[in-house]
């Protein structure tokens, strides 16, 4: 019958529940007995123990009050006497009303009598109408008060010893009861376990035989053999489980076929999209072997049939390409250089290289994908633009210089005295021409730097000297603006390999910007510190208004100026600084918070690296 399996399981569980219930009841009964023993200890003796301890403490303080009195500190003695006398009497009342042991009543009565006599003598000392002389006071203390104090203290100790002894006896009794309860619980638990295991073994043996057969066939289905069927000739729950497995196998087979078709279709679509992609794409496995090239990549590295399966070093033969793929696979993040290092030239075309790692769900390496973005046209446009800017800047310098000379002659009155209004116009023209001349000089410098016409002249430089030289250059500007200029250099700095003039220009530019954008009363700090064993970091920090978040990522672009900032240039200084730092193998960055200030920093490699 269908209910037979359920009935057997129910009976076995009811037996186990009954056994567990019996064990629990015995354990609970033992806990109740232990609880009563503990309660009895607390109710009978604990109050008396606490009262005796309180009496001892109060009695010691009363004796101390007498000592204070003899020492001439009568006010302190009377105050301590008045504070502790009620405490002793309250503790004695607790003891007198909590007589629980044989002989405790006699001790308590004698304690009360002894304390009454002690209190009377002590009260006479404390409340004497005229202070006793030193010798009579000592005689009263040592001949009367001290012996009575010792008698009272001894009786208090008798109360404490009597109740503590009772607590120890009760504790031993509770331990004995606990051991007995534990032994009984262990015995009953062992019996219950034996009965439960025996009954469960019998029922499990009766049910496991068909389940073992069912499990073996289910393993075959789980291994992918979905055409198999489970034959179970039973009408109970196990038979129902067998039929359910057969239905599941049919559905799994249909789902598997559908999923295989979907994956094959997606793979075909991905392969077609990758093959027709305009940019060259190379896919490698975890061992660095080429597993796929699209048509654009075949035009660079040869037919896929010949290259596929080869190591990327032998198939590609470009060091930066190979390093980018290996670095992406090893470090598990996108490998993308910045600046000129990001571009590779293959077959007279210029490409931007990006290598991305591939990982499985567990984070294990699967390989890497390298994409070559054809930027030949953009590079040519950049080159032409740079050349145009350089030529325009160079050609405009002569007329601008001539205009500056002419405006200077006008301002000096070489062609006649000028009216105040004419002087104002000429002064404005002179300022604008100076700004234009500076902008073209910066454009020309930037063009030469980007074109490699002004490479760094490396030498060994002391970072502390670079910091001091830059600070001295802008010190006058800082003083005139009311800005405090500070320097800081670590004592154990390593020398750096740098062009003193170019790096000095970067530091002066950063310091000048910081001073110009810091209000009077603020401060600017220039510091040099060790980044690691191979780099030194230079930092310029100010307490100015800060840079809006929308401009933090664009601040190093050409002609970018923060709205509302003080006007002082064409927005080329930071772009020139970035170009110089990158030419030195370093990186420049900025951190800024509105209202808190900004921090520009860049790194330089040490001379030993």
């Amino acid at each position: 019958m269908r209910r037979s399996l359920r009935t057997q399981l129910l009976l076995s569980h009811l037996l186990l529940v009954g056994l567990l219930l019996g064990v629990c009841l015995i354990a609970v009964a033992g806990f109740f007995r232990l609880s009563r023993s503990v309660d009895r200890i607390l109710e009978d003796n604990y109050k008396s123990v606490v009262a005796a301890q309180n009496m001892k403490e109060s009695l010691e303080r009363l004796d101390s009050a007498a000592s204070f009195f003899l020492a001439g500190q009568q006010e302190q003695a009377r105050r301590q006497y008045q504070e502790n006398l009620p405490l002793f009497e309250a503790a004695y009342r607790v003891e007198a009303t909590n007589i629980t042991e044989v002989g405790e009543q006699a001790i308590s009565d004698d304690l009360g009598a002894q304390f009454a006599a002690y209190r009377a003598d002590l009260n006479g000392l404390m409340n004497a109408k005229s202070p006793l002389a030193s010798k009579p006071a000592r005689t009263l203390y040592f001949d009367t008060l001290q012996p009575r104090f010792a008698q009272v203290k001894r009786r208090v100790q008798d109360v404490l010893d009597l109740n503590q002894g009772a607590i120890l006896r009760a504790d031993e009794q509770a331990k004995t009861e606990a051991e007995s309860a534990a032994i009984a619980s262990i015995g009953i638990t062992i019996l219950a376990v034996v009965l439960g295991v025996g009954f469960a073994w019998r029922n499990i043996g009766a049910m496991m035989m068909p389940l073992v057969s069912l499990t073996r066939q289910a393993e075959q289905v789980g291994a992918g053999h979905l055409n198999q069927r489970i034959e179970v000739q039973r009408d109970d729950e196990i038979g129902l489980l067998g039929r359910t497995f057969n239905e599941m196998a049919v559905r799994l087979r249909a789902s598997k076929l559908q999923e295989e078709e979907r994956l094959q279709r997606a793979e075909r679509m991905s392969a077609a999209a990758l093959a027709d992609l305009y940019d060259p794409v190379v896919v490698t496995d975890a061992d660095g072997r080429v597993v796929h090239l699209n048509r654009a990549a075949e035009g660079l590295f040869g037919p896929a049939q010949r290259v596929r399966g080869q190591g990327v070093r032998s198939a590609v033969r470009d060091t930066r390409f190979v390093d980018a793929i290996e670095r992406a696979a090893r470090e598990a993040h996108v490998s993308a250089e910045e600046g000129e290092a990001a571009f590779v030239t293959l077959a007279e075309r210029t490409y931007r290289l990006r290598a991305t790692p591939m990982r499985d769900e567990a984070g294990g390496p699967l390989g890497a994908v390298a994409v070559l973005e054809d930027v030949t046209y953009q590079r040519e446009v950049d080159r032409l633009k740079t050349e145009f800017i350089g030529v325009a800047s160079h050609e405009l310098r002569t007329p601008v210089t001539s205009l500056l000379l002419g405006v200077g002659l006008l301002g000096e009155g070489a062609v006649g005295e000028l009216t105040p209004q004419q002087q104002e116009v000429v002064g404005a023209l002179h300022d604008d021409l100076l700004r234009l001349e500076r902008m073209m000089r910066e454009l020309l410098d930037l063009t030469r730097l980007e074109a490699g016409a002004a490479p760094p002249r490396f030498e060994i430089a002391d970072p502390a000297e670079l910091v001091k030289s830059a600070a001295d250059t802008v010190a006058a500007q800082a003083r005139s603006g009311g800005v405090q200029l500070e320097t800081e250099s670590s004592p154990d700095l390593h020398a750096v390999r740098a062009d003193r003039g170019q790096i000095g220009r970067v530091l002066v530019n950063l310091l000048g910007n910081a001073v110009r954008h810091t209000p009077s009363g603020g401060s600017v700090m220039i510091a040099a510190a060790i980044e690691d064993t191979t780099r030194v970091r230079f930092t310029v920090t100010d307490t100015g208004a800060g840079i809006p978040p929308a401009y933090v990522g664009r601040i190093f672009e050409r002609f970018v100026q923060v709205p509302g900032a003080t006007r002082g240039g064409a927005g080329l200084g930071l772009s020139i600084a970035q170009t110089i730092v990158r030419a030195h193998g370093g990186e420049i960055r900025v951190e800024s918070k509105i209202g808190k200030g900004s921090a520009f920093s860049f790194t330089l490699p040490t001379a030993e690296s």
Side-chain angles (χ1 to χ4, degrees):
M1 293 180 63
R2 178 169 293 188
R3 294 186 178 181
S4 60
L5 182 59
R6 182 182 302 174
T7 302
Q8 293 180 30
L9 292 173
L10 181 61
L11 289 175
S12 62
H13 281 79
L14 286 176
L15 176 62
L16 291 175
V17 169
L19 294 173
L20 289 175
L21 182 60
V23 173
C24 289
L25 289 174
I26 293 174
V28 169
F31 290 148
F32 274 118
R33 287 197 300 273
L34 289 175
S35 178
R36 285 196 298 272
S37 298
V38 173
D39 290 341
R40 187 168 59 251
I41 293 172
L42 293 177
E43 292 175 358
D44 293 348
N45 302 104
Y46 186 71
K47 289 182 179 180
S48 296
V49 170
V50 173
Q53 290 175 342
N54 290 337
M55 284 189 289
K56 286 182 66 176
E57 183 178 351
S58 300
L59 188 63
E60 294 287 349
R61 293 186 177 274
L62 289 174
D63 182 65
S64 177
S67 298
F68 283 143
F69 193 90
L70 292 179
Q73 301 179 15
Q74 285 84 3
E75 290 301 326
Q76 183 176 354
R78 292 189 180 97
R79 185 169 55 254
Q80 185 165 325
Y81 169 72
Q82 292 170 0
E83 290 175 354
N84 290 277
L85 181 61
L87 297 178
F88 184 92
E89 292 175 343
Y92 175 72
R93 284 194 295 273
V94 172
E95 160 58 22
T97 57
N98 190 52
I99 303 301
T100 58
E101 301 299 325
V102 178
E104 187 176 2
Q105 183 65 56
I107 296 174
S108 178
D109 294 340
D110 186 53
L111 172 60
Q114 295 286 351
F115 180 73
Y118 176 70
R119 180 181 58 190
D121 294 335
L122 186 59
N123 189 46
L125 176 64
M126 294 293 175
N127 299 321
K129 292 183 178 180
S130 58
L132 297 177
S134 175
K135 184 173 182 181
R138 288 191 180 90
T139 302
L140 176 61
Y141 177 77
F142 288 107
D143 294 347
T144 304
L145 288 177
Q146 187 63 26
R148 291 192 184 280
F149 166 76
Q151 291 173 358
V152 174
K153 185 176 180 180
R154 186 164 51 253
R155 300 313 285 172
V156 172
Q157 185 64 40
D158 292 340
V159 172
L160 181 62
D161 293 343
L162 182 64
N163 284 276
Q164 285 180 340
I167 290 175
L168 292 176
R169 291 191 299 273
D171 180 63
E172 292 297 328
Q173 182 179 357
K175 289 181 180 179
T176 302
E177 292 177 359
E179 291 175 357
S180 301
I183 293 172
S185 298
I186 292 172
I188 295 176
T189 301
I190 293 174
L191 179 61
V193 170
V194 171
L195 292 176
V197 170
F199 193 76
W201 184 268
R202 177 178 174 278
N203 285 280
I204 291 172
M207 291 184 291
M208 282 302 296
M209 291 300 295
L211 288 177
V212 169
S213 176
L214 180 63
T215 302
R216 290 172 181 167
Q217 297 183 45
E219 288 177 353
Q220 295 296 319
V221 174
H225 306 294
L226 302 179
N227 292 325
Q228 294 203 11
R229 293 293 179 270
I230 297 174
E231 301 296 336
V232 181
Q233 303 298 328
R234 294 176 68 110
D235 293 330
D236 56 11
E237 289 83 357
I238 296 178
L240 177 62
L241 180 62
R243 291 189 292 274
T244 303
F245 264 122
N246 289 334
E247 295 175 0
M248 180 186 68
V250 172
R251 293 193 182 97
L252 286 175
R253 186 169 182 271
S255 299
K256 182 179 180 182
L257 293 174
Q258 183 179 1
E259 184 66 17
E260 287 178 352
E261 182 180 354
R262 186 185 68 81
L263 290 176
Q264 290 174 0
R265 184 168 61 253
E267 185 177 354
R268 289 194 297 270
M269 293 177 62
S270 299
L274 187 62
D276 295 333
L277 192 65
Y278 174 76
D279 293 323
V281 178
V282 178
V283 182
T284 64
D285 59 15
D287 296 326
R289 292 189 296 269
V290 177
V291 297
H292 184 79
L293 291 87
N294 65 349
R295 293 191 184 96
E298 289 181 1
L300 294 175
F301 308 119
Q305 294 79 2
R306 179 177 61 83
V307 177
R308 188 180 294 116
Q310 294 185 16
V312 67
R313 288 189 176 274
S314 59
V316 176
R317 300 182 184 278
D318 185 274
T319 304
R320 283 188 292 176
F321 189 96
V322 173
D323 291 343
I325 291 180
E326 291 180 348
R327 186 164 57 252
R330 180 176 64 253
E331 300 177 2
H333 62 74
V334 176
S335 177
E337 299 289 349
E338 297 294 337
E340 292 296 323
F343 302 106
V344 295
T345 301
L346 299 171
E348 300 182 356
R349 306 289 293 180
T350 302
Y351 298 92
R352 185 190 299 275
L353 175 61
R354 294 288 187 274
T356 304
M358 296 187 299
R359 297 278 170 176
D360 56 22
E361 295 180 355
L366 294 177
V369 179
V371 179
L372 295 168
E373 180 187 358
D374 192 340
V375 293
T376 305
Y377 175 75
Q378 293 91 325
R379 293 281 289 175
E380 181 64 19
V381 170
D382 286 343
R383 185 186 67 79
L384 293 175
K385 180 176 64 175
T386 301
E387 288 182 359
F388 171 75
I389 292 174
V391 171
S393 301
H394 185 271
E395 294 298 326
L396 285 174
R397 291 185 67 182
T398 300
V400 169
T401 302
S402 178
L403 288 171
L404 277 171
L405 179 60
V407 170
L409 291 174
L410 287 174
E412 294 173 358
V415 293
E417 191 70 25
L418 300 179
T419 65
Q421 290 82 4
Q422 291 172 337
Q423 285 283 2
E424 183 177 352
V425 172
V426 170
L429 289 174
H430 186 266
D431 292 341
D432 289 340
L433 286 171
L434 285 177
R435 187 178 299 108
L436 180 61
E437 193 270 340
R438 183 168 59 252
M439 180 184 69
M440 286 197 290
R441 187 171 62 251
E442 290 179 347
L443 277 173
L444 193 58
D445 290 343
L446 181 60
T447 302
R448 295 179 63 197
L449 287 170
E450 290 182 345
R457 298 181 178 178
F458 292 107
E459 57 181 306
I460 306 302
D462 183 4
E465 292 182 1
L466 295 175
V467 167
K468 184 178 183 303
S469 176
D472 292 342
T473 303
V474 299
Q477 179 185 353
R479 284 193 300 271
S480 64
V483 177
Q484 182 180 359
L485 182 61
E486 303 175 359
T487 62
E488 180 179 303
S489 299
S490 300
D492 51 351
L493 286 175
H494 299 289
V496 295
R497 182 173 172 265
D499 185 319
R500 291 178 182 270
Q502 292 187 0
I503 294 302
R505 179 175 183 177
V506 172
L507 291 173
V508 169
N509 179 273
L510 296 178
L511 278 174
N513 289 343
V515 171
R516 189 166 59 251
H517 295 96
T518 299
S520 179
S523 63
V524 173
M525 164 73 78
I526 177 172
I530 296 176
E531 175 83 357
D532 52 38
T533 56
T534 61
R535 290 176 295 178
V536 173
R537 179 168 295 278
F538 296 83
T539 305
V540 176
T541 308
D542 63 64
T543 59
I547 304 171
Y551 285 85
V552 170
R554 302 178 51 218
I555 198 68
F556 295 104
E557 298 177 9
R558 298 178 185 176
F559 306 110
V560 172
Q561 291 183 327
V562 178
T566 57
R567 308 293 292 182
L572 295 173
L574 291 178
S575 181
I576 293 174
Q578 184 183 56
T579 303
I580 292 175
V581 170
R582 286 181 174 175
H584 282 71
E587 282 296 328
I588 187 170
R589 66 186 183 187
V590 59
E591 297 178 359
S592 182
K593 290 184 179 180
I594 296 296
K596 301 293 185 181
S598 306
F600 287 83
S601 64
F602 65 91
T603 58
L604 291 180
T606 60
E608 295 82 4
S609 61

